[in-house]
Amino acid sequence: DFRETKDLVKDIVEATDGYGAHAAVVTAANPAAYSQAVDYLRMGGSLMVVGLPADAKLSASIFFTVVKSISIIGSYVGNRQDAREALDIAARGKVKCHYVTKPLSALSEYVSFSPVGSRC
């Protein structure tokens, strides 16, 4: 609970067995919430920026954002009530994530590589 914790980033990382959260949807009016989210996301994590704090800037370490392969995505859709309803749907287990695990050796089947210096 962000209202009770002394160190939100530490608590989230501990709650996820040291890995960090897969994703964060931040709707806060406080710019610190966005910076904290970058810090508690795991490798390959995604930050969905929804809230619009007045005159706020997103401050994130470029080094750690790149090293952790963090995706930062903005969304300007809906309002607070829409967000509450969407989170309620997810909390009730109505959102299902479908994925397939493949070995690293299968990567070339899904990704097209271009030689260094070639034009795409």
Side-chain angles (χ1 to χ4, degrees), residues 100-111:
V100 176
T101 302
K102 300 282 185 179
L104 187 57
S105 60
L107 182 63
S108 62
E109 296 175 37
Y110 301 97
V111 178

Side-chain angles (χ1 to χ4, degrees), residues 1 6 12 19 28 45 47 57 59 68 71 77-78 83 98 100 116:
D1 186 337
K6 300 273 190 251
I12 291 174
Y19 293 105
L47 168 59
K57 305 275 189 265
S59 177
K68 289 173 61 176
S71 296
V77 179
H98 301 279
V100 176
V116 175

Side-chain angles (χ1 to χ4, degrees), residues 21-26 33 37-38 40-41 45-49:
H22 287 281
V25 178
V26 181
V38 171
Y40 64 66
L41 288 171
S46 296
L47 168 59
M48 174 63 73
V49 178

Side-chain angles (χ1 to χ4, degrees), residues 16 26 28 39 49 57 60 63 81-82 90:
T16 56
V26 181
D39 292 340
V49 178
K57 305 275 189 265
F63 179 81
Q81 184 58 36
D82 292 337

Side-chain angles (χ1 to χ4, degrees), residues 72-117:
I72 300 175
I73 307 150
S75 176
Y76 187 63
V77 179
N79 55 36
R80 288 184 186 207
Q81 184 58 36
D82 292 337
R84 284 185 194 102
E85 291 171 8
L87 291 172
D88 178 61
I89 291 167
R92 288 186 284 127
K94 301 295 183 182
V95 177
K96 302 295 180 198
C97 178
H98 301 279
Y99 64 93
V100 176
T101 302
K102 300 282 185 179
L104 187 57
S105 60
L107 182 63
S108 62
E109 296 175 37
Y110 301 97
V111 178
S112 173
F113 294 100
S114 297
V116 175

Side-chain angles (χ1 to χ4, degrees), residues 38-39 41-45 60-72:
V38 171
D39 292 340
L41 288 171
R42 67 176 55 204
M43 297 282 289
S61 163
I62 294 172
F63 179 81
F64 288 112
T65 302
V66 172
V67 169
K68 289 173 61 176
S69 298
I70 301 293
S71 296
I72 300 175

